[in-house]
Amino acid sequence: MHRLYECWCGGENYDGARPCNFDWVKHLREECEKYNVTFCFIETGTVFIKDSKTYLMPKK
């Protein structure tokens, strides 16, 4: 059996990027905490959803 030690997540940063929903990020963090896995949220991406509001971030 393999063990997961680290989980990184973040939004996409390019034309046609899929939305990154903060509710999903929070759920993933809770799952990592439950199984004692290090969690890193690295960036929102260019399309970020939080509290039912969509934020469009400028590209890098």
Side-chain angles (χ1 to χ4, degrees):
M1 176 189 258
H2 299 295
R3 179 172 171 3
L4 183 67
Y5 292 97
E6 228 175 39
C7 176
W8 290 48
C9 80
E12 299 171 346
N13 292 305
Y14 50 79
D15 290 336
R18 294 170 291 179
C20 179
N21 191 315
F22 194 55
D23 287 337
W24 173 78
V25 174
K26 290 188 300 186
H27 175 74
L28 184 57
R29 182 191 174 280
E30 290 166 0
E31 288 293 302
C32 287
E33 189 174 82
K34 178 178 172 182
Y35 293 100
N36 199 29
V37 172
T38 299
F39 175 78
C40 298
F41 178 45
I42 55 174
E43 60 187 317
T44 62
T46 54
V47 183
F48 184 64
I49 300 171
K50 183 179 178 192
D51 299 328
S52 300
K53 184 173 179 183
T54 301
Y55 298 89
L56 302 176
M57 310 296 184
K59 294 183 207 172
K60 294 180 180 179

